[in-house]
Amino acid sequence: MRKNHFILTFLFTALVLAGCKKDTTPSITIKLVTDGLGINDKSYNASAWEGILRFYGDSVGEETNFGILYDVAICNDRGKYYSDLRAISDEKPDLVIVTGFAFTDAIQSVSNVYPEQKFLMIDGRNLDCENVQNYTFAAEEGSYLVGVIAAEQALAEGVQNPSFGFIGGIENDSIIDFEIGYVQGIRSVIPEAEVFSFYTDDWSQPALAAAKAKVWYENGVYAIYTAAGMCGNGTIAEAIAHRKAGKNVWAIGVDQDQFVEGVYGVGKSAVLTSMIKRVDNAVEIGLNSVRTGTFKQGSRILSLKDKTVGFSTTNTELNANAIKHANTAQAEIISGKINVVATYKDRDAAEAILKTVKQ
């Protein structure tokens, strides 16, 4: 009898505990809004999607909460961004996430019409709207690290007096920060290193970057870092061509790990490393701010401390010492031992660096 009583008590307790067990899946609802490339762009949208899935405890192929707690809307026509965002806001998700500055103007207009709707922009422009939060990235920090890697790789390969190149898109402070971060990283290893700079004044014409990269590679430039949107494909194409011809040159990718874009043989890539923006982590930070009620308007710069910028190590030809030095630099930036100059921190210091770069 006492044994049966113990069994019944155990079963009752188990049922009570099961009934009290809380579902840890976040209950907030969100909509990710992308450009026409959608979540398979192998870039910002794909990374944002990864962050969303991780936040809800899902994964690619196991999107159990898709269409219930989170969804994606693909906007194919830039001219319809405003109307698309209005339609999405009518659905009243807890948060609307957009990736890229192209949505900034539409968000500004729609946010005024829907003051109760929360919006998160990734890499947009700062808007004075109480319901819009914008995350940008400390690109100068990640760029510093790939500069360290490029210089250390050159030393490891025995390159004599290596020079380096930077190709930017449309010149503005945010792109200049990529450049000066890169220069500082290089010169932390090789103080007198010669660095060249060129701006395509465009985001979508790879031929512009390819033409400059070809000239530079042929004249002894060792590595070229490009922050110019699709123009970067031109730099990578030239790096591939020159490496196939036996020339020791490298391209450095940006935003995402561009190793695959540089592949020219089995296990071979012309992309030595890439400066990575962890959009997935940025999205999770934003989602948690909504879940915890700490969502704030304005722009926030996410940095190495937030684990939102870094560098890739996919290329097996990447020297171990270069990785070691980059990791050391990363720790010193986070601790404050290294202060990476940027236009938004110290314009005079930034301009002084730019004056040392050859056009």
Side-chain angles (χ1 to χ4, degrees):
M1 181 69 179
R2 293 183 64 179
K3 182 178 179 181
N4 290 338
H5 175 74
F6 173 79
I7 293 173
L8 289 172
T9 301
F10 174 81
L11 291 173
F12 176 77
T13 303
L15 288 171
V16 169
L17 289 174
C20 292
K21 185 179 179 181
K22 294 182 179 180
D23 184 0
T24 58
T25 302
S27 60
I28 64 174
T29 58
I30 65 166
K31 178 86 78 169
L32 173 65
V33 182
T34 77
D35 57 20
L37 296 175
I39 59 174
N40 296 314
D41 66 342
K42 298 181 180 180
S43 186
Y44 269 37
N45 300 337
S47 186
W49 190 244
E50 289 175 13
I52 290 169
L53 294 179
R54 195 162 60 236
F55 178 76
Y56 287 100
D58 288 349
S59 58
V60 176
E62 295 291 335
E63 299 93 346
T64 57
N65 292 291
F66 178 63
I68 302 170
L69 296 176
Y70 60 84
D71 207 340
V72 60
I74 300 174
C75 299
N76 292 299
D77 187 345
R78 189 166 180 172
K80 294 181 179 179
Y81 281 0
Y82 174 75
S83 58
D84 288 342
L85 284 168
R86 286 202 62 164
I88 290 165
S89 298
D90 282 334
E91 298 174 13
K92 298 181 179 180
D94 292 315
L95 182 68
V96 174
I97 304 172
V98 296
T99 54
F101 65 87
F103 285 96
T104 303
D105 292 339
I107 286 289
Q108 181 160 23
S109 298
V110 173
S111 64
N112 291 325
V113 179
Y114 296 85
E116 301 303 316
Q117 176 63 60
K118 292 182 176 67
F119 296 92
L120 172 64
M121 287 194 301
I122 303 295
D123 248 4
R125 295 196 308 271
N126 188 27
L127 300 177
D128 187 21
C129 305
E130 292 185 358
N131 54 337
V132 179
Q133 187 173 69
N134 177 47
Y135 288 159
T136 58
F137 301 86
E140 74 281 0
E141 293 184 354
S143 298
Y144 184 101
L145 299 180
V146 296
V148 168
I149 285 175
E152 288 287 356
Q153 186 81 13
L155 294 181
E157 293 180 349
V159 179
Q160 298 297 313
N161 300 316
S163 59
F164 305 84
F166 173 82
I167 296 178
I170 296 174
E171 189 170 358
N172 57 56
D173 285 354
S174 62
I175 299 301
I176 288 172
D177 285 339
F178 284 84
E179 177 182 354
I180 61 176
Y182 178 57
V183 173
Q184 290 170 85
I186 290 169
R187 290 184 177 154
S188 72
V189 179
I190 309 174
E192 303 302 320
E194 192 172 50
V195 183
F196 297 89
S197 174
F198 171 73
Y199 282 79
T200 61
D201 199 29
D202 197 285
W203 301 111
S204 58
Q205 295 193 51
L208 297 175
K212 179 58 70 174
K214 184 175 188 295
V215 171
W216 280 352
Y217 285 141
E218 290 176 354
N219 284 277
V221 171
Y222 172 72
I224 301 174
Y225 176 37
T226 307
M230 289 180 62
C231 293
N233 293 337
T235 302
I236 294 173
E238 282 300 321
I240 290 172
H242 282 75
R243 288 195 70 80
K244 280 184 174 180
K247 196 170 181 67
N248 186 24
V249 300
W250 294 104
I252 297 175
V254 74
D255 290 346
Q256 301 295 311
D257 184 356
Q258 293 190 296
F259 175 87
V260 172
E261 283 80 352
V263 169
Y264 62 95
V266 178
K268 298 285 186 178
S269 175
V271 175
L272 178 65
T273 184
S274 300
M275 195 288 278
I276 296 176
K277 291 181 180 179
R278 292 296 304 270
V279 176
D280 56 335
N281 288 350
V283 165
E284 280 200 275
I285 291 170
L287 290 171
N288 277 311
S289 76
V290 175
R291 177 165 62 173
T292 59
T294 57
F295 181 93
K296 294 180 180 179
Q297 74 172 96
S299 191
R300 175 182 171 186
I301 299 173
L302 301 176
S303 65
L304 285 172
K305 288 182 179 179
D306 303 299
K307 299 180 180 180
T308 54
V309 291
F311 61 93
S312 64
T313 58
T314 308
N315 197 326
T316 56
E317 293 186 74
L318 186 56
N319 183 267
N321 199 50
I323 297 173
K324 178 182 177 180
H325 279 248
N327 283 331
T328 298
Q330 177 172 284
E332 292 180 345
I333 291 171
I334 291 172
S335 71
K337 185 176 181 179
I338 293 176
N339 174 42
V340 185
V341 172
T343 56
Y344 64 90
K345 295 177 183 176
D346 189 335
R347 181 164 294 279
D348 289 341
E351 290 180 354
I353 293 170
L354 290 174
K355 287 179 182 179
T356 69
V357 178
K358 295 186 176 182
Q359 303 301 312

